[in-house]
């Protein structure tokens, strides 16, 4: 529940928060809400919408919309802010859930269909690069050795250096906030039984014989002691 509080004078600010837990089985009705450069463009969406997120990678989003009448300049949308919310329709009202926050990486205009296809990213690398080194150390954790890893000026490379000693992955959450997800200790989110699986959609892929070999690669570096000798 991200909260932003701005105080312009001395005093106490109250921010009451109400949290509701909604079961996904209550309804199958849903919709999406997309904002582009601060404007709601949900009504002009056409075709499908896709958001892809994985560990150690930037979150990506794709959608297509029909631009409003007038001159269309796709370059005006480059780097424009984008948010995508998944909305469940319940009897008590709509419940939005943010699934993407980022910016436009490419706006591809088709003059024949007059549609614009947007490819967006949460800009993970630049988000981390904009942080200070103490902030990166607080988020990533791990350790950094100047003697073993050298002098690192780029903040993204510094984050990757600290991540080498962390059993986890660095990515951004749905609000473009950098985070580290640990590989172990994650709770089971959902168990699918026979009634949830579509008929004839289950597939099993087994490895080939040549792939049934465990291989471990170890890479290390060492340095000689520095010796000084004075000649007279």
């Amino acid at each position: 529940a991200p909260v932003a509080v701005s105080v312009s004078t001395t005093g106490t600010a109250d921010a009451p928060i109400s949290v509701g837990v909604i079961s996904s089985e209550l309804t199958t009705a849903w919709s999406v809400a997309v904002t582009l450069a601060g404007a709601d463009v949900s009504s002009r969406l056409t075709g499908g919408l896709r958001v892809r997120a994985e560990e150690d990678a930037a979150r990506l989003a794709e959608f297509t919309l029909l631009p409003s009448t007038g001159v269309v300049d796709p370059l005006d949308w480059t780097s424009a802010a984008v948010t995508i919310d998944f909305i469940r329709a319940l009897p008590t009202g709509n419940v939005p859930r943010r699934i993407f926050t980022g910016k436009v990486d490419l706006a591809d205009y088709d003059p024949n269909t007059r549609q614009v296809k947007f490819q967006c990213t949460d800009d993970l690398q630049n988000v981390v690069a904009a942080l200070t080194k103490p902030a990166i150390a607080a988020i990533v954790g791990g350790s950094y050795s100047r003697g073993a890893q050298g002098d690192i000026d780029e903040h993204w490379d510094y984050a990757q250096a600290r991540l080498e000693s962390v059993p986890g992955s660095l990515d951004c959450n749905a609000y473009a906030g950098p985070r580290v997800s640990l590989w172990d200790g994650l709770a089971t989110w959902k168990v699918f039984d026979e009634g949830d699986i579509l008929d004839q959609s289950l597939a099993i892929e087994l490895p080939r014989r040549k792939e049934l070999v465990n291989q471990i690669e170890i890479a290390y570096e060492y340095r000689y002691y520095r010796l000084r000798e004075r000649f007279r």
Side-chain angles (χ1 to χ4, degrees):
V3 177
V5 178
S6 177
V7 179
S8 58
T9 185
T10 303
T12 301
D14 296 330
I17 298 176
S18 177
V19 178
V21 179
I22 307 297
S23 174
S24 60
E25 283 79 13
L26 291 180
T27 180
T28 57
W30 58 273
S31 61
V32 293
V34 178
T35 64
L36 176 63
D40 189 347
V41 296
S42 306
S43 61
R44 292 192 276 123
L45 292 175
T46 181
L49 182 148
R50 179 182 182 185
V51 175
R52 183 176 64 188
E54 58 183 280
E55 295 178 339
D56 277 333
R59 188 173 299 215
L60 305 176
E62 295 181 358
F63 61 88
T64 303
L65 62 79
L66 295 171
S68 55
T69 58
V71 179
V72 177
D73 187 355
L75 295 180
D76 288 343
W77 287 306
T78 302
S79 298
V82 175
T83 65
I84 301 177
D85 291 335
F86 177 76
I87 303 177
R88 286 196 175 276
L90 299 176
T92 56
N94 294 332
V95 179
R97 179 180 180 182
R98 178 65 49 85
I99 59 176
F100 181 83
T101 301
K103 58 182 60 178
V104 176
D105 186 50
L106 173 65
D108 189 8
Y109 176 68
D110 188 341
N112 296 314
T113 62
R114 219 181 159 272
Q115 297 178 356
V116 183
K117 183 177 181 180
F118 289 86
Q119 298 179 19
C120 311
T121 175
D122 66 5
D123 209 19
L124 169 64
Q125 185 167 341
N126 288 326
V127 168
V128 175
L131 299 174
T132 63
K133 286 189 175 181
I136 293 174
I139 294 173
V140 178
S143 59
Y144 164 70
S145 172
R146 181 179 179 183
Q149 296 169 298
D151 293 324
I152 300 178
D153 295 329
E154 297 293 335
H155 289 191
W156 170 257
D157 295 336
Y158 176 73
Q160 296 301 307
R162 301 193 69 97
L163 199 63
E164 292 178 358
S165 55
V166 176
S169 300
L170 176 64
D171 58 5
C172 284
N173 59 22
Y175 291 88
R179 65 180 180 183
V180 170
S181 302
L182 298 179
W183 296 334
D184 194 15
L186 298 178
T188 302
W189 174 70
K190 177 71 175 178
V191 176
F192 297 97
D193 55 26
E194 184 177 356
D196 298 319
I197 301 175
L198 295 177
D199 186 31
Q200 298 183 356
S201 66
L202 188 63
I204 299 177
E205 183 176 350
L206 300 177
R208 297 179 180 273
R209 175 182 57 84
K210 65 179 182 179
E211 298 174 345
L212 296 175
V213 178
N214 293 328
Q215 181 176 348
I216 300 176
E217 296 182 2
I218 300 177
Y220 65 93
E221 298 178 359
Y222 67 93
R223 65 191 308 170
Y224 294 102
Y225 291 104
R226 296 180 179 178
L227 301 178
R228 293 185 176 90
E229 184 176 354
R230 178 182 298 176
F231 294 94
R232 294 183 179 180

